[in-house]
């Protein structure tokens, strides 16, 4: 699936011969993790692949931007009945108003306005349309068959209707969502679509190839219009990015072979890489990049190496996360990874070279196994790379094979962490289980964060037994000597337990969402089970 804003670019000479190819089925399967899943579920390999495909399809649809039109929108003018004098007042409206009205309709309804009167006949072809294949299916296609994962008949109908609309309208298109077709059965139509959209222009395009094969060849026109989250070779992903001069949002969901992104883009503002076996991201030159998100990354394999992020030129990068165990961070000449040595300055808290820091980041999210010594010891080094953090999110992992927490005095001797001491105003701790290693970190934040306004502690539902139990677990924190006298401590039971943080693809890429990591706090603070306290008070 892809979403991008673009205009028809100049087609470079010789590009007709270039093809984009997804990873072949021979490369993608057999997959050891899929075989294990099949054994766990008690099904054969093919059935397990089908289940996984359904899950991937669901995630892909959840990431598609909401269309700007809806066939279910109420008609406010229905209540305003005509006076019955036979005068067509609507057709007397200025052209600009008629075009505005039609541009807000689903494509099928927009085309139908041509039958209203001669004045309306050409209006729908003169406005940017929103073409969503799910909206233009005939009435005989039931809602269940039109839903994601619908049958082959729905696919055939969807492709046919979409082709007619795209051919009939001269463009440009406000948005085009082509998501209900089995593209492997309609290669000729797909190539025609991409050529049409390339010539006519499209502002936003969402395209899903479903469900198989993974080795379906993608035509060369794709780079002008679309970015896909199907399994894709590294060279092709790089090819797409380099030839998308106005691409703003790139989302990669579930890459079996790993997502390796070398980012050179003067337009990209948001990059999401999720549910992949490996994430290897090198930000070379991205002057407009604001958001860089990772979610449910497996951490890599011995043969492929570890997941890593290398941050070069990204002066506007303001949100980063989730940093996960095993993830390697490289800034300047400094590499930070659990179990390896780092520079003495980062380790001891002495003066850190500006070349090793990313001062633009304001919101940071970490996942930490507080019972794993090597992970905890990397947290101060990691935080020192981001000296201006104002909002810090930490998700406590329940590691199945803990190596043991660091020395109890670790946080007392860690030294100064500039962002915590001078800049963090909001701190959110998810999945608190009452472990002393967690409490030691919470106490460190409380006793050193001088401008902290709000600390939110979400108690894991798996460990929440009663309010008295929470009181006892947090006694060490509430009795601490807080550095900020104006801070509120907010404690509540986590409404959504899990092995990883919640994530919303749409909110993550929505520039109006000020903090995509904060999906639970706002609503939970209003719930009856929430305690809002001043640090000097007792629970």
């Amino acid at each position: 699936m892809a979403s991008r804003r673009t205009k028809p670019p100049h087609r470079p000479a010789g590009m007709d011969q270039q093809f984009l190819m997804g990873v072949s089925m021979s490369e993608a399967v057999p997959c050891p993790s899929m075989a294990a899943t099949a054994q766990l579920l008690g099904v054969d390999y093919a059935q397990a692949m089908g289940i996984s495909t359904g899950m991937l399809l669901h995630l892909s649809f959840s990431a598609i931007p909401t269309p700007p039109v809806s066939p279910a929108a109420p008609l406010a003018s229905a209540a305003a009945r005509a006076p019955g004098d036979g005068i067509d007042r609507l057709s007397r409206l200025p052209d600009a108003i008629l075009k505005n009205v039609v541009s807000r309709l689903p494509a099928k309804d927009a085309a139908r306005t041509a039958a209203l009167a001669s004045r309306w006949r050409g209006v729908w072809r003169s406005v940017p349309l929103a073409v969503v294949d799910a909206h233009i299916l005939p009435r005989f296609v039931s809602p269940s068959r039109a839903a994601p994962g619908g049958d082959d008949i729905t696919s055939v109908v969807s492709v046919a209707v979409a082709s007619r609309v795209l051919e009939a309208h001269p463009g440009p298109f406000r948005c085009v969502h082509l998501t209900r077709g089995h593209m492997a059965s309609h290669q000729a139509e797909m190539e025609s679509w991409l050529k049409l959209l390339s010539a006519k222009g499209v502002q936003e395009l969402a395209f899903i190839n479903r469900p198989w094969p993974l080795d379906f060849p993608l035509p060369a026109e794709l780079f002008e219009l679309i970015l896909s989250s199907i399994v894709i070779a590294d060279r092709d992903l790089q090819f797409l990015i380099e030839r998308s001069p106005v691409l703003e949002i790139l989302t990669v969901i579930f890459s079996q072979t790993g997502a390796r992104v070398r980012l050179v883009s003067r337009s990209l503002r948001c990059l999401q890489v999720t549910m992949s076996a490996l994430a290897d991201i090198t930000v070379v030159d991205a002057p407009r990049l604001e958001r860089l998100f990772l979610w449910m990354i497996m951490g890599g394999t011995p043969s492929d190496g570890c997941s890593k992020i290398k941050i070069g030129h990204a002066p506007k990068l303001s949100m980063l996360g989730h940093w996960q165990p095993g993830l390697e961070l490289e800034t300047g000449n400094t590499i930070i990874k659990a179990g390896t040595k780092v520079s003495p300055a980062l380790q001891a808290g002495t003066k850190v070279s500006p070349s090793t820091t990313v001062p633009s980041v304001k919101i940071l999210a970490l996942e930490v196994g507080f019972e794993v010594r090597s992970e905890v010891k990397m947290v101060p080094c990691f935080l020192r790379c981001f000296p201006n953090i104002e909002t810090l999110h930490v998700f406590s992992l329940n590691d199945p094979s803990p190596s043991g927490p660091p020395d109890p005095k670790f946080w007392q001797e860690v030294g100064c962490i500039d962002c915590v001491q001078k800049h963090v105003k909001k701190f959110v701790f998810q999945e608190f289980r009452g472990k002393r290693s967690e409490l030691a970190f919470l106490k460190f934040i409380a006793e050193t964060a001088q401008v902290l306004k709000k600390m939110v502690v979400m108690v894991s539902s798996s460990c929440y037994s009663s309010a008295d139990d929470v009181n006892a677990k947090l006694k060490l924190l509430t009795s601490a000597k807080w550095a900020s006298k104006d801070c509120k401590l907010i404690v509540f039971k986590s409404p959504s337990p899990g092995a990883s943080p919640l994530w919303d693809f749409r909110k993550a890429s929505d520039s109006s969402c000020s903090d995509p990591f904060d999906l639970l706090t706002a609503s939970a603070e209003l719930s009856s089970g929430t305690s809002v306290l001043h640090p000097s008070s007792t629970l």
Side-chain angles (χ1 to χ4, degrees):
M1 186 282 299
S3 169
R4 60 167 292 190
R5 297 181 175 89
T6 185
K7 57 184 179 182
H10 171 68
R11 183 181 179 86
M15 202 59 66
D16 289 327
Q17 284 71 39
Q18 299 199 44
F19 248 75
L20 300 179
M21 181 73 75
V23 173
S24 69
M25 289 295 286
S26 61
E27 293 176 88
V29 295
C31 173
S33 61
M34 188 64 66
T37 300
Q39 185 176 9
L40 180 65
L41 296 176
V43 298
D44 61 29
Y45 191 89
Q47 289 174 311
M49 289 290 285
I51 294 171
S52 297
T53 301
M55 293 174 61
L56 174 59
L57 189 62
H58 175 76
L59 285 169
S60 297
F61 273 89
S62 71
I64 297 177
T66 302
V69 298
S70 170
L75 297 176
S77 60
R81 301 195 176 277
D85 54 11
I87 299 176
D88 182 4
R89 291 177 171 80
L90 285 177
S91 295
R92 293 184 175 185
L93 293 172
D95 286 348
I97 295 180
L98 291 182
K99 291 180 179 181
N100 193 338
V101 170
V102 175
S103 69
R104 297 171 184 271
L105 298 174
K108 184 163 64 174
D109 294 332
R112 286 173 175 172
T113 61
L116 294 177
S118 58
R119 175 75 191 287
W120 292 79
R121 195 161 297 155
V123 174
W124 79 279
R125 300 181 77 253
S126 65
V127 301
L129 277 191
V131 180
V132 181
D133 54 4
H135 295 172
I136 58 179
L137 290 172
R139 291 182 178 179
F140 68 79
V141 178
S142 66
S144 61
R145 296 173 75 174
D151 55 26
D152 290 337
I153 294 178
T154 302
S155 174
V156 172
V157 175
S158 171
V159 170
V161 177
S163 295
R164 288 200 298 270
V165 174
L166 295 179
E167 290 170 0
H169 194 277
F173 294 92
R174 185 179 177 187
C175 89
V176 176
H177 287 190
L178 303 171
T179 63
R180 262 55 178 184
H182 294 182
M183 300 310 167
S185 304
H186 303 282
Q187 183 174 356
E189 291 90 339
M190 188 192 72
E191 292 178 352
S192 174
W193 292 345
L194 297 175
K195 289 177 181 178
L196 287 171
L197 292 173
S198 176
K200 298 178 180 182
V202 58
Q203 183 181 18
E204 178 181 286
L205 176 64
F207 182 93
I208 294 181
N209 171 38
R210 67 181 185 90
W212 298 108
L214 293 179
D215 56 353
F216 176 58
L218 305 177
E221 287 82 0
L222 188 62
F223 76 85
E224 300 174 13
L225 300 167
I226 186 171
L227 195 61
S228 175
S229 70
I230 61 172
V231 176
I232 188 169
D234 302 341
R235 59 183 173 82
D236 296 330
L237 183 58
Q238 182 66 26
F239 178 85
L240 284 172
I241 296 173
E242 290 178 353
R243 287 162 175 77
S244 300
V246 292
L247 178 67
E248 293 186 358
I249 300 170
L250 169 58
T251 301
V252 179
I253 303 174
F254 185 68
S255 177
Q256 287 190 25
T257 56
R260 296 169 179 85
V261 182
R262 185 177 184 274
L263 192 56
V264 179
S265 172
R266 305 195 68 81
S267 62
L268 199 71
R269 299 176 64 183
C270 176
L271 171 62
Q272 298 184 70
V273 178
T274 69
M275 299 185 67
S276 296
L278 175 76
D280 188 345
I281 301 170
T282 301
V283 181
V284 179
D285 184 18
R288 297 190 65 198
L289 184 66
E290 300 170 356
R291 302 175 177 217
L292 177 52
F293 301 131
L294 302 178
W295 181 65
M296 292 185 67
I297 302 300
M298 310 308 176
T301 64
S303 59
D304 295 330
C306 67
S307 291
K308 62 184 71 174
I309 298 178
K310 181 177 181 179
I311 301 177
H313 184 244
K316 292 188 176 181
L317 182 63
S318 60
M319 302 182 192
L320 177 65
H322 296 86
W323 179 64
Q324 298 165 293
L327 180 67
E328 178 180 299
L329 172 70
E330 181 174 348
T331 60
N333 295 322
T334 299
I335 297 177
I336 299 175
K337 179 185 176 183
T340 60
K341 293 183 178 181
V342 297
S343 71
L346 285 174
Q347 187 68 57
T350 55
K351 187 176 181 180
V352 179
S353 170
S355 65
T356 66
T357 66
V358 187
S360 60
V361 173
K362 305 294 183 183
I363 301 177
L364 181 68
L366 315 177
E367 295 180 27
V368 183
F370 283 92
E371 295 293 296
V372 181
R373 188 179 302 107
S374 60
E375 291 182 22
V376 176
K377 287 186 174 181
M378 285 297 104
V379 172
C381 303
F382 195 84
L383 292 177
R384 289 186 179 113
C385 291
F386 305 95
N388 296 319
I389 299 167
E390 295 179 357
T391 301
L392 177 61
H393 295 267
V394 175
F395 185 94
S396 180
L397 295 170
N398 191 18
D399 199 295
S401 54
S403 62
D407 187 278
K409 295 183 179 180
F410 173 76
W411 289 107
Q412 299 174 24
E413 301 171 350
V414 79
C416 175
I417 300 179
D418 202 51
C419 66
V420 175
Q421 187 174 26
K422 300 177 182 178
H423 297 285
V424 172
K425 299 176 182 178
K426 181 178 179 180
F427 174 72
V428 180
F429 193 95
Q430 296 186 51
E431 291 300 294
F432 173 75
R433 297 178 180 84
K435 297 175 181 177
R436 293 191 65 84
S437 54
E438 296 174 325
L439 282 167
F441 178 65
L442 290 175
K443 186 179 179 183
F444 167 77
I445 297 292
E447 294 183 339
T448 58
Q450 298 176 4
V451 296
L452 190 64
K453 300 296 183 184
K454 182 189 293 185
M455 176 184 284
V456 180
V457 178
M458 290 185 251
V459 182
S460 174
S461 60
S462 62
C463 301
Y464 189 101
S465 56
S466 67
D468 290 339
D469 179 57
V470 174
N471 291 349
K473 289 179 178 179
L474 287 174
K475 186 175 181 180
L476 181 64
L477 176 63
T478 55
S479 61
K481 186 177 180 180
W482 288 61
S484 173
K485 304 304 180 185
D486 299 322
C487 181
K488 288 183 178 179
L489 172 61
I490 302 170
V491 182
F492 60 87
K493 179 181 177 181
S494 177
S496 180
S500 62
L502 287 181
W503 194 242
D504 188 312
F505 298 106
R506 293 179 182 174
K507 288 185 178 180
S509 60
D510 183 355
S511 59
S512 67
C513 179
S514 60
D515 188 353
F517 302 110
D518 201 0
L519 299 178
L520 297 174
T521 303
S523 58
E525 286 183 23
L526 302 176
S527 67
S528 58
T530 301
S531 299
V532 181
L533 310 119
H534 188 278
S536 61
S537 67
T538 57
L539 283 172

